[in-house]
């Protein structure tokens, strides 16, 4: 906890590690003896140059990014990449394959349609509850790329595997689970992630892209979204989100001190298991709509019962949790229910507080659950 007694379970922007906040606070007015703040620093200065280079090298070390991949720090969020990806990779006459498993991959596919032909490799479903079996996928070996979202933040659906590709490079949105488990970068053509969940604050988006995929942008591609232009000037084509890059650098350093990505994976498994176990043992009071093997470790979604009192119980749950300091537990407005976001900065002890609350709430509201 951050000393305020508040536990922030927000889906993003989300809780930052206390140590990062303290460090940023101590350096806010006078960055390491320079006499000025990172907020006031030229992005061409030697100090900022060091900040951005250190962020990149720590990221390369943590993730194991090979030398033939560029690391770009861009603006426009994950949504900016929904446009940048087809603008850079979808050549005229080609089709891009999209695996749609929730709101974010659906948005990515819709945006790509503005620039070229998109094929959805799985049939549209009314309700997303997991990843449909790969035998039902209709992938195209000639596609420009195969796009998927590793963790659907709204539904709470996470891929337990990297899809196999029969040729096209794999493009992955890791906005909400980046650095929460080790990855083999060589399986991917491109990985992107907005920083505001696991790796920093809003404003910067990490793009890791293999060098053979750079340099084929459509002529309409805006320069700031063009991977070749950005790679050529180390993400400094225009004024970058310098403070967000600085915060990201502090978070990356913190992840390293905690034992790296493998330690984050162990911690995420323990936190999410604590909540899913509470759901499973609740005799139907709490219900997770997502199929077991696709239940997200980052965004745990559940409903309270399934009767006519569900809305009332969920409203009460959010209100009462709020009164004891647990914030941002309301599910996304498009699907309702409860959502607990457990990114890297959330402690196991904080999840334990929530689980104790869930158990007490169930005891106190069982009568209402049974009456409805
Ligand atoms: C998985 C995923 N992709 C993309 C986005 C869009 O990110 P942004 O709001 O930074 O554009 C989000 C936002 O929450 C997300 O969760």
């Amino acid at each position: 906890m951050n000393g305020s007694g508040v536990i922030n379970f927000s889906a993003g922007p989300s809780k930052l590690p206390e140590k990062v906040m303290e460090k940023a606070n101590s350096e806010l007015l006078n960055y390491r003896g320079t006499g000025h703040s990172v907020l006031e620093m030229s992005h061409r200065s030697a100090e900022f140059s060091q900040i951005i280079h250190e962020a990149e090298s720590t990221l390369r070390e943590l993730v194991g990014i090979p030398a033939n991949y560029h690391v770009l720090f861009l603006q426009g969020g994950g949504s900016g990449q929904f446009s940048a990806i087809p603008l850079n990779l979808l050549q005229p006459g080609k089709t891009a394959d999209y695996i749609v498993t929730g709101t974010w991959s659906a948005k990515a596919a819709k945006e790509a349609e503005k620039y070229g032909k998109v094929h959805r490799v799985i049939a549209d479903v009314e309700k997303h509850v997991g990843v449909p079996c790969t035998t039902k996928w209709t992938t195209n070996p000639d596609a420009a790329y195969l796009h998927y979202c590793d963790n659907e933040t709204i539904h709470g659906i996470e891929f337990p595997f990297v899809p196999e590709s029969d040729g096209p490079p794999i493009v992955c949105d890791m906005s909400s689970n980046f650095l929460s488990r080790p990855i083999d970068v060589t399986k991917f053509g491109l990985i992107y992630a907005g920083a505001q969940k696991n790796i920093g604050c809003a404003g910067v988006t990490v793009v890791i892209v293999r060098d053979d995929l750079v340099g084929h942008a459509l002529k309409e591609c805006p320069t700031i979204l063009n991977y070749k232009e950005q790679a050529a000037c180390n993400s400094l084509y225009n004024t970058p989100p310098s403070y967000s890059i600085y915060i990201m650098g502090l978070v990356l350093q913190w992840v390293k001190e905690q034992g790296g990505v493998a330690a984050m994976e162990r911690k995420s498994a323990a936190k999410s298991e604590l909540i899913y176990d509470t759901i499973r043992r609740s005799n139907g009071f709490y219900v997770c709509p997502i199929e077991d093997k696709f239940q997200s470790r980052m965004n745990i979604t559940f409903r309270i019962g399934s009767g006519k009192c569900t809305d009332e119980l969920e409203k009460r749950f959010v209100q009462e949790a709020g009164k004891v300091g647990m914030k941002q537990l309301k599910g996304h407005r498009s699907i309702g229910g409860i959502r607990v976001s457990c990114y890297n900065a959330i402690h196991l002890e904080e999840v334990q507080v929530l689980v104790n609350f869930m158990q007490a709430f169930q005891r106190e509201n069982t009568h209402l659950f049974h009456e409805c």
Side-chain angles (χ1 to χ4, degrees):
M1 278 189 233
N2 61 9
S4 65
V6 165
I7 308 177
N8 174 14
F9 287 108
S10 168
S14 322
K15 184 188 172 192
L16 285 162
E18 292 83 356
K19 284 224 162 82
V20 167
M21 295 297 275
E22 282 158 18
K23 180 95 174 151
N25 188 28
S26 74
E27 294 182 337
L28 180 65
L29 300 181
N30 184 353
Y31 176 74
R32 300 183 194 176
T34 56
H36 62 290
S37 172
V38 177
L39 287 164
E40 307 162 307
M41 201 177 265
S42 161
H43 58 293
R44 309 279 173 204
S45 64
E47 290 92 351
F48 186 73
S49 225
Q50 196 185 354
I51 289 172
I52 195 166
H53 281 111
E54 267 179 30
E56 179 177 341
S57 61
T58 313
L59 185 65
R60 282 189 180 274
E61 183 187 335
L62 281 172
V63 183
I65 303 173
N68 63 326
Y69 284 76
H70 298 281
V71 172
L72 308 176
F73 298 138
L74 304 181
Q75 301 185 61
S79 306
Q81 291 310 305
F82 295 167
S83 320
I85 287 159
L87 282 163
N88 280 276
L89 308 183
L90 184 49
Q91 281 81 47
K94 285 279 209 176
T95 298
D97 277 357
Y98 277 76
I99 304 170
V100 173
T101 51
T103 306
W104 292 111
S105 45
K107 276 197 161 187
K110 192 159 178 255
E111 185 67 15
E113 274 172 338
K114 290 186 182 166
Y115 308 106
K117 224 171 140 212
V118 163
H119 169 64
R120 288 167 179 75
V121 309
I122 50 182
D124 276 351
V125 289
E126 214 175 289
K127 242 178 156 186
H128 295 285
V129 292
V131 179
C133 181
T134 53
T135 54
K136 294 190 183 143
W137 297 9
T138 55
T139 48
N140 168 13
D142 293 324
Y145 57 88
L146 171 65
H147 178 284
Y148 78 105
C149 176
D150 208 28
N151 185 68
E152 283 285 357
T153 322
I154 292 177
H155 293 83
I157 297 173
E158 189 171 26
F159 268 76
F161 59 90
V162 177
E164 299 264 324
S165 163
D166 40 8
I170 294 181
V171 172
C172 182
D173 178 358
M174 285 193 198
S175 292
S176 51
N177 65 353
F178 191 52
L179 295 199
S180 73
R181 61 183 174 190
I183 49 170
D184 176 358
V185 175
T186 63
K187 288 189 174 166
F188 300 88
L190 187 150
I191 294 166
Y192 64 103
Q196 67 269 27
K197 298 164 199 300
N198 258 332
I199 55 164
C201 63
V204 60
T205 306
V206 170
V207 175
I208 301 167
V209 56
R210 209 172 59 212
D211 57 11
D212 61 294
L213 298 175
V214 170
H216 313 287
L218 305 186
K219 63 176 184 337
E220 301 83 0
C221 180
T223 311
I224 53 162
L225 297 182
N226 187 311
Y227 299 146
K228 188 176 174 203
E229 302 278 356
Q230 289 285 10
C233 51
N234 296 320
S235 310
L236 297 180
Y237 171 75
N238 67 327
T239 313
S242 44
Y243 201 76
S244 305
I245 293 171
Y246 157 71
I247 294 288
M248 184 179 64
L250 296 183
V251 174
L252 296 173
Q253 200 53 44
W254 174 83
V255 172
K256 200 172 148 183
E257 285 159 16
Q258 300 298 301
V261 182
M264 296 297 117
E265 183 181 39
R266 287 194 292 277
K267 205 173 141 191
S268 313
K271 289 183 293 185
S272 54
E273 192 42 40
L274 201 50
I275 301 174
Y276 286 123
D277 192 51
T278 307
I279 295 173
R280 279 193 297 271
R281 289 166 184 268
S282 72
N283 293 322
F285 186 85
Y286 298 114
V287 184
C288 174
I290 307 306
E291 291 170 20
D292 288 5
K293 59 182 180 209
F294 306 113
Q295 289 173 347
S296 169
R297 299 161 306 129
M298 300 285 108
N299 312 99
I300 294 126
T301 55
F302 59 87
R303 307 295 315 232
I304 305 184
S306 52
K308 60 181 190 319
C309 290
T310 288
D311 287 348
E312 164 64 19
L313 281 164
E314 288 171 352
K315 201 167 151 204
R316 195 181 281 191
F317 182 96
V318 171
Q319 269 172 0
E320 290 185 13
K323 281 187 205 152
V324 291
M326 283 177 281
K327 307 283 186 197
Q328 302 289 333
L329 287 165
K330 195 165 183 276
H332 191 269
R333 60 193 177 282
S334 60
I335 61 166
I338 309 290
R339 172 174 56 175
V340 187
S341 296
C342 281
Y343 299 120
N344 287 348
I346 294 279
H347 301 293
L348 184 63
E349 295 72 25
E350 294 177 316
V351 174
Q352 188 62 59
V353 173
L354 173 72
V355 159
N356 294 346
F357 172 82
M358 285 172 73
Q359 288 164 344
F361 185 85
Q362 179 175 357
R363 281 194 300 275
E364 282 152 26
N365 292 278
T366 300
H367 62 286
L368 192 55
F369 173 68
H370 287 303
E371 277 163 26
C372 290

